[in-house]
Amino acid sequence: MTLRAWKCDLSRWQVAPAHPGAAELARGIGTAPLVAQILCNRNITDIPAGKAFLNPRLTDLHGPELLPGCVQAARLVAAAVAAKKRIVIYGDYDVDGMTAVAILDSVLAMVGADVHFYVPHRLEEGYGVNDEAVAKLAGEGAELLITVDCGISALGPLAAAKAAGMTVIVTDHHGAGSSLPAVDAIVHPSLPGGDYPNGDLAGAGVAFKLAWQIAREICGETRVDEAMRQFLLEATCLAALGTVADVVPLVGENRSLVVHGLRGLRHTKHSGLRALLKSADLDGEKLDAYHVGFLLAPRLNACGRMGHARLAVELLTRATAEKSEQIAQYLAQQNTERQKVERAITAEAVEKVQQQGMDGEDCRVIVLADENWHGGVIGIVASRLVDRFDKPAILISLNGDGGQGSGRSIASFHMREALEACSAHLRNFGGHAMAGGLRIEREKVADFAAAMGEYARMHVSVAQLAPTLRIDAETTLAGLGYNIVEHLDRLAPHGQGNPPPALLIRRCKLVGQPRRMGKGGGVVSLVLSQGGTTMRAVGFGMGELADSLAGVNFIDVVAQPVLNRFNGRCNVELQIKDLAWE
């Protein structure tokens, strides 16, 4: 009888071949061969790179002087501080932008600068620097404008800032257009012609590097004083939040920044971060990328999605301990409201996709618009559609004669390039490979959807839309002992560029009946046995499998092994990614 899988077509289960250098790598770095095989799958094949990956250090960070524009920008900032000029940091309203603002605001406050910040309203102003905001800041006497996590595409507004007499520094990491803004300095890790070793810095990472160089400039030497050193160590917590939340590759110096930032977050003295952790019931917890991406970041983002992000930025910058507690509780409430709105819009969007036939092979990109959709939540809903239908998705919230849209993508479809190709139908747009934003006239939505559909048909094949399950290695239940899984834990934090391990264990016997667990029975719990080893396996969002597996004796399972700590005990457990049965 033919095996059938729960989620992914079995023909698209791709097991990585055994790497010929894995055994030597394992000996060289003192780890298990299984861990070495997974490292090889991540293109980490030599001993120095393997040691650096398993033992990331802050000394692995590239010096800020290597980042294009950083030295020039730091000199301009130091001169503005010395001249007591009014400095305004202009940030984005997502977590990456908020943390970038907080890093620069804090370092400048330390040196007595006249520093202020501005974050646009997501719904009223949209992403990036706008003319109205520039005029407002000029009227308030801004003399130095520093953009963070935005600005690389804001040619017109930044030209207006220069015309108003401001010194302008752009710090960004998003893709640039054919022209760059005519400003005094651009700090960016991946502009054409640059040679910075890490083109995947998040906006918070770029801000961290600039803060580091500012500290050097203020201190007058390469090494910073002890107060600045302690600040920079604390700032890695903020940089880690922004880096994880922006879903940039967690390899190289990004990995070092996140590993040390997460360690520091457990013991942070930052009142805002402590209040945020407490509100998420994470005070004192071992923190990883999951906690940041799914528990902390949504709270910060909810403020900007449902209203104005300024309050969340205040939490990360100037709020007292008492005020931080109040803001953190408010953010938790906003996040709960955001979840309700998101669920409602997702249900409506899924229904539209199915009614309009966008779930079929002929449609290779989803474009939907509705005047009742909350503009602050459509980006998350677009992600839900990508997960469900395995194709790029763009949702547009209509309001009056226009609308704003948010898109999420798949690996084979570069969202920003697609938006640029269809830009004749847009007011403006921005983004990167996996996500983008846009503004559009209501009357042009249909033409934009048609143009995007045609572009997708030319650039994405049906085969590229089909989900592929990449499997790191085949093993056995006995091969996943406590010590081995402890070694596997050293591969964390996981994220873009470093996914969680996916291991195939064949012909596991089902012991007892599968059980539904969790809210609404959405989790399936299995007990597996193989060669005398028994292990529990859970599948989140797979509750329906409890019925499908009734009467099944043996399964093949693809899973991530984890250490489940509960009531002082620690056991190896499998988190199911897919499974197949006869």
Side-chain angles (χ1 to χ4, degrees), residues 23-196:
E24 182 179 352
L25 179 63
R27 288 191 296 270
I29 62 179
T31 192
L34 180 60
V35 177
Q37 170 67 36
I38 294 170
L39 287 173
C40 290
N41 294 347
R42 310 289 185 268
N43 296 317
I44 300 165
T45 57
D46 62 78
I47 291 172
K51 287 181 176 179
F53 192 90
L54 294 180
N55 301 284
R57 302 170 299 175
L58 283 176
T59 52
D60 295 334
L61 299 182
H62 306 301
E65 74 281 359
L66 300 178
L67 183 61
C70 195
V71 172
Q72 171 65 10
R75 288 173 179 164
L76 291 171
V77 172
V81 172
K84 299 190 181 303
K85 291 184 176 181
R86 183 180 177 88
I87 302 172
V88 178
I89 305 167
Y90 191 116
D92 190 20
Y93 40 63
D94 68 1
V95 175
D96 193 24
M98 293 176 195
T99 51
V101 169
I103 289 168
L104 287 182
D105 182 83
S106 298
V107 73
L108 292 177
M110 278 186 68
V111 297
D114 179 14
V115 60
H116 309 264
F117 63 80
Y118 184 90
V119 180
H121 191 288
R122 180 188 289 265
L123 302 182
E124 296 177 5
E125 298 175 79
Y127 169 79
V129 187
N130 63 79
D131 290 314
E132 293 77 11
V134 167
K136 178 178 184 294
L137 296 175
E140 293 172 350
E143 297 171 279
L144 170 61
L145 181 67
I146 308 173
T147 74
V148 294
D149 196 33
C150 63
I152 198 65
S153 301
L155 277 63
L158 293 181
K162 286 294 298 175
M166 297 184 208
T167 299
V168 179
I169 297 170
V170 169
T171 80
D172 203 350
H173 71 122
H174 293 96
S178 56
S179 299
L180 296 177
V183 295
D184 298 278
I186 298 176
V187 186
H188 196 293
S190 60
L191 290 181
D195 58 358
Y196 186 67

Side-chain angles (χ1 to χ4, degrees), residues 488-503:
L488 288 172
D489 264 6
R490 297 175 65 194
L491 298 173
H494 299 295
Q496 188 79 7
N498 181 33
L503 304 175

